[in-house]
Amino acid sequence: MTAAAWALDALLDDPATRTLICCGSGGVGKTTTAAALAVRAAERGRRVVVLTVDPSRRLAQALGLVDGGTAEPRPVAGVSTGAGGSLHAAVLDARATLDALVDDALPPERAAQLKRNPVYGSVAGSFSGTQEYMAMERLGQLREAALSGEAPWELVVVDTPPSRSALDFIDAPARLGRFLDGRLVTLLRRPSTPRAGLAAVPAAVAGRVTSSITGGVAAVMDKVLGGALLRDVQALVQGLDVVFGGFQQRALTTSAALAAPGSAFVVVTAAEADALAEARFLLERLARDRLPTAALVVNRATVLAPGAAHLGAEEAGRLAAVLEAAGHDRAAALLRLHAELALTAAAEAAAVQGLLGDHDAAAVATAAARPVDVHDVVALREVAADLARS
Amino acid sequence: MPADTAAPAPTHPDGPADPVRLHVVTGKGGTGKTTVATALALALAREGRRVLLCEVEGRQGVARLLEVDDLPPRETEVAEGAGGGQVVALAVEPRSALLLYLDTFYRLGRAGAALEKVGAVDFITAVAPGLRDILLVGMVYEATRRRVDGTRGSGGTEPEADQAPDPAHGGAPAGGPVPWTYDAVVLDAPPTGRISAFLGIGDELATLAGGGPIAGQAASVARLLRSPATAVHLVSLLEDLPVQETVEAAAELAEAGLPLGLVVANRVLRPVPPVPADAEVAPALEEAGMAAGPAREVAAGVVDQGAARALAVTAQQRHREALAGLGQPVADLHQVPGALDLAGLYALADRLGEQLP
């Protein structure tokens, strides 16, 4: 591998490191990696908070994140505090975060009205996308708390939502900005012409001239969506405008902070084609945006046992045949297994190398696949030790 | 079940076929759902059948697996099926779906430019993913109910209507109903975390839109998804989180009235025989020509690997029982050593084909 090893401990020990963001496609072990890095940082003396997005039930248990109220960071038991560090953990609750934003931005009556809007329920509850925006918001809040010195943490480690594209998380403020500044919102904010069958035009905007384009769009949207839905969407956009205005300000601040020294992105991947393609996309995008990439973490990699690591697949297959012929069936089975593992390890290494290509500036760290699931602090400690070693 | 909905063309003489025409494949991220969806499409494409494989997340995973160029947002022949049929692939993309939708159903093709100008396309495809979902599902719905003469049926949900296509569109030929364009449609769907919202989008919008035009479209989509013409297959690894999500997704889908199909256990490890001690393996290796020192080291290594594998197999068996507890058939796909190439993909398709109900 041409890539450099990852000086993980130097990064964790540097007090200037204030934010670590783990990103990657779904199912590659982002949450585990985030939790493992947080445990190691805490045990090396940092005061850490880790925001997880969707921990498995048993990992959540290990982090003390059960029994409700898990959206607010809680201390994690079982982490050694000998070096003066500590660990808090929280789970992202997108709905509660959005509700809180609405409550903060609007007078109580309007907040309640907005939350009753049927489209709000859909946006907050089931539609995808909300998670990405709210992850950004929570990261901003946790960072602000850390900077103010009021919170018991000074290093924020975040896991990102398993979005279709992991970039949605980083893109959220820009995308929302494009939308809020767009002409569609201007159109939706302003109830349209009676001809399109919408609500009556308020006096304040009645004098404005609706251009033929926006008028046409209103007609199309009315035709496709129907008047009732369009009215609900309009009411929602009018209400959320104020809410998202504040959100966007914070998201832009957070975005800027993520590009500054003190932040580090960790791209997490599994050693298989789809995840690696996502990782490459992500590395390229981070480089283009000049966002600081700390390392590529190859999770759950096939790692051969030290004594047998130099034994290739072909040689193992040959030995297995010899052992079989000599009647050593059980030993032969182990050599066949080794041949399979060596083949997989080589294919994984080639795939990672293929991904890196011209990205060999990124440090690479590998965590070995474990025979059983990672769901306690001890196992998290081992994962982090793997990452620090490679 | 009238024969036409399942076996539309006389080219399929193999008796009453599977009523399922829309196969939705989901699973937690990283479980290999795209691989399984692609293998399923290959398995279904036998004996002259045409199968459409739809990808909706813009990842181009299907193209990578089939070793072809990135898929365009239009139907493209990509592979020969495992049994001599044809696989057509489509990367469903919200932008072109929206424009096609406006054109097809509202004859508003030219409105697209205006929508683009004010940022409505951005809004629909990025900021309001609920609308994006209905566009994606809508495209798949449209392909499922399309007939070779360009008319549309109900997709298999309403046999009566399907039997007698609207005469205004040309009507049925004398020999029977017009065959479907695709004998089966396989949808590589969003991951389990989002699947109920994704497939439930028809209901959601039908309710929200309160009788608007999109509500009618949404309700038709919801009807197809709930009918015996649809099966939702769940792909899982035999690990904690994937199994937990699969069990949760199965419950959610059942509650939403969406028909469950196969549960696919992917990357199942082959068991190893009882692991011998180092003391048995090292002398055997020496006997095979290895020097004493290396034999001892290699023996220790392969015994460790064997023990780890045995542990992993035991853990997998426990997880498999949890999947079997769902009451659906569980199909096993074994872990493929090394990189998955085309030959490996067709082998998976064969394995999957054998285990289809």
Side-chain angles (χ1 to χ4, degrees):
Chain A
M1 198 143 305
T2 56
W6 189 19
L8 171 60
D9 288 338
L11 178 73
L12 297 182
D13 293 349
D14 183 353
T17 304
R18 305 301 294 269
T19 313
L20 288 178
I21 305 107
C22 295
C23 47
S25 57
V28 295
K30 278 189 301 288
T31 306
T32 308
T33 304
L37 294 177
V39 166
R40 190 168 183 92
E43 297 196 329
R44 295 180 68 86
R46 298 298 300 268
R47 288 179 293 121
V48 187
V49 63
V50 59
L51 177 66
T52 62
V53 171
D54 194 14
S56 76
R57 206 167 288 142
R58 292 167 79 184
L59 181 62
Q61 267 164 7
L63 296 173
L65 296 172
V66 281
D67 307 329
T70 55
E72 285 310 311
R74 306 173 163 190
V76 177
V79 174
S80 128
T81 54
S86 61
L87 178 59
H88 283 69
V91 179
L92 176 70
D93 182 340
R95 176 65 191 257
T97 307
L98 183 58
D99 282 353
L101 274 175
V102 169
D103 290 337
D104 282 353
L106 297 175
E109 200 176 311
R110 280 200 62 207
Q113 193 184 15
L114 181 63
K115 286 192 277 185
R116 274 198 308 272
N117 185 317
V119 181
Y120 176 85
S122 289
V123 167
S126 60
F127 288 173
S128 73
T130 310
Q131 261 204 332
E132 284 74 26
Y133 296 115
M134 293 308 114
M136 201 67 181
E137 169 67 15
R138 279 301 276 155
L139 170 59
Q141 292 171 359
L142 294 172
R143 275 181 47 86
E144 272 178 18
L147 292 174
S148 74
E150 284 161 19
W153 56 81
E154 35 86 25
L155 169 63
V156 183
V157 180
V158 288
D159 172 22
T160 53
S163 17
R164 168 187 33 82
S165 160
L167 294 175
D168 287 358
F169 173 75
I170 308 163
D171 280 344
R175 206 142 33 103
L176 194 62
R178 262 204 316 278
F179 168 62
L180 287 176
D181 298 337
R183 294 172 69 180
L184 179 72
V185 170
T186 317
L187 173 76
L188 288 172
R189 266 182 215 136
R190 175 180 61 209
S192 193
T193 58
R195 193 182 136 264
L198 298 175
V201 182
V205 291
R208 288 202 203 164
V209 180
T210 307
S211 76
S212 62
I213 289 173
T214 52
V217 168
V220 168
M221 293 192 58
D222 185 51
K223 192 163 180 184
V224 175
L225 296 176
L229 177 57
L230 192 48
R231 269 191 299 278
D232 281 342
V233 170
Q234 272 185 314
L236 181 75
V237 167
Q238 286 162 19
L240 284 183
D241 199 18
V242 184
V243 176
F244 279 165
F247 162 78
Q248 197 200 0
Q249 197 47 52
R250 192 186 336 244
L252 287 172
T253 312
T254 311
S255 257
L258 293 183
S263 296
F265 284 82
V266 176
V267 178
V268 184
T269 184
E272 43 103 355
D274 277 1
L276 285 168
E278 269 312 275
R280 182 184 175 92
F281 185 54
L282 202 50
L283 286 172
E284 277 169 2
R285 178 54 207 279
L286 289 169
R288 203 174 68 221
D289 286 2
R290 304 215 169 88
L291 291 166
T293 308
L296 175 72
V297 165
V298 181
N299 229 336
R300 297 196 296 201
T302 304
V303 176
L304 300 173
H310 60 277
L311 184 64
E314 246 176 75
E315 176 62 5
R318 191 193 64 80
L319 282 169
V322 173
L323 291 172
E324 237 154 46
H328 298 297
D329 286 352
R330 298 201 301 181
L334 291 182
L335 269 292
R336 293 236 179 270
L337 172 62
H338 179 82
E340 203 179 282
L341 293 172
L343 198 65
T344 304
E348 288 177 0
V352 172
Q353 196 54 56
L355 152 91
L356 284 173
D358 42 346
H359 286 282
D360 54 2
V364 175
T366 304
R370 265 143 238 282
V372 289
D373 295 291
V374 173
H375 47 60
D376 57 25
V377 171
V378 177
L380 288 172
R381 206 176 274 146
E382 285 171 11
V383 169
D386 266 9
L387 295 177
R389 224 186 344 259
S390 44
Chain B
M1 171 65 53
D4 69 301
T5 58
T11 48
H12 311 142
D14 49 345
D18 190 359
V20 177
R21 298 194 53 250
L22 175 57
H23 297 263
V24 179
V25 180
T26 182
K28 180 177 158 44
T31 55
K33 69 182 174 60
T34 301
T35 306
V36 172
T38 307
L40 179 62
L42 292 173
L44 292 168
R46 57 191 159 80
E47 291 158 30
R49 286 175 178 257
R50 270 171 80 80
V51 176
L52 179 68
L53 171 60
C54 300
E55 181 167 45
V56 293
E57 297 196 278
R59 285 181 189 275
Q60 293 293 345
V62 169
R64 221 164 13 246
L65 280 165
L66 292 173
E67 299 173 13
V68 296
D69 292 339
D70 279 3
L71 300 176
R74 60 180 176 276
E75 292 156 40
T76 310
E77 296 194 349
V78 285
E80 191 172 309
Q86 184 70 50
V87 175
V88 176
L90 169 66
V92 188
E93 190 265 320
R95 191 169 291 262
S96 41
L98 174 63
L99 300 182
L100 190 74
Y101 177 84
L102 289 175
D103 195 38
T104 309
F105 296 101
Y106 301 100
R107 304 189 191 287
L108 287 170
R110 293 201 342 230
L115 290 176
E116 189 88 67
K117 205 156 187 171
V118 299
V121 174
D122 247 7
F123 170 72
I124 289 168
T125 58
V127 181
L131 293 178
R132 172 173 63 196
D133 287 352
I134 194 66
L135 285 169
L136 299 177
V137 179
M139 285 287 278
V140 175
Y141 168 72
E142 194 282 325
T144 307
R145 70 199 191 106
R146 198 189 320 142
R147 297 182 185 280
V148 290
D149 64 353
T151 61
R152 297 183 179 85
S154 72
T157 55
E158 290 148 38
E160 296 305 316
D162 286 340
Q163 219 155 12
D166 184 353
H169 293 280
V178 183
W180 301 113
T181 302
Y182 296 107
D183 296 294
V185 175
V186 177
L187 168 61
D188 178 15
T192 38
R194 248 169 50 67
I195 192 65
S196 303
F198 183 76
L199 296 179
I201 198 66
D203 294 321
E204 178 103 27
L205 273 178
T207 315
L208 281 181
I214 205 170
Q217 168 81 359
S220 313
V221 170
R223 243 189 334 272
L224 169 67
L225 291 175
R226 290 242 167 70
S227 76
T230 299
V232 183
H233 307 298
L234 296 167
V235 184
S236 185
L237 300 181
L238 298 177
E239 291 171 17
D240 254 358
L241 199 48
V243 168
Q244 180 186 319
E245 274 201 18
T246 303
V247 171
E248 284 167 7
E252 272 179 37
L253 292 169
E255 192 175 337
L258 293 160
L260 273 185
L262 280 179
V263 175
V264 180
N266 197 17
R267 297 193 206 132
V268 176
L269 297 171
R270 289 180 201 283
V272 281
V275 180
D278 295 18
E280 178 185 329
V281 181
L285 285 170
E286 278 187 59
E287 202 182 304
M290 207 179 265
R296 236 186 349 264
E297 278 180 23
V298 169
V302 297
V303 166
D304 280 355
Q305 289 170 177
R309 169 59 60 98
L311 211 58
V313 168
T314 309
Q316 283 206 343
Q317 278 160 353
R318 189 169 47 79
H319 288 308
R320 196 183 183 288
E321 278 161 30
L323 290 184
L326 291 172
Q328 297 298 122
V330 179
D332 289 319
L333 291 180
H334 282 107
Q335 165 100 312
V336 179
L340 181 67
D341 57 9
L342 271 181
L345 189 61
Y346 277 92
L348 285 181
D350 288 339
R351 281 286 297 143
L352 202 53
E354 290 160 15
Q355 298 178 79
L356 284 173

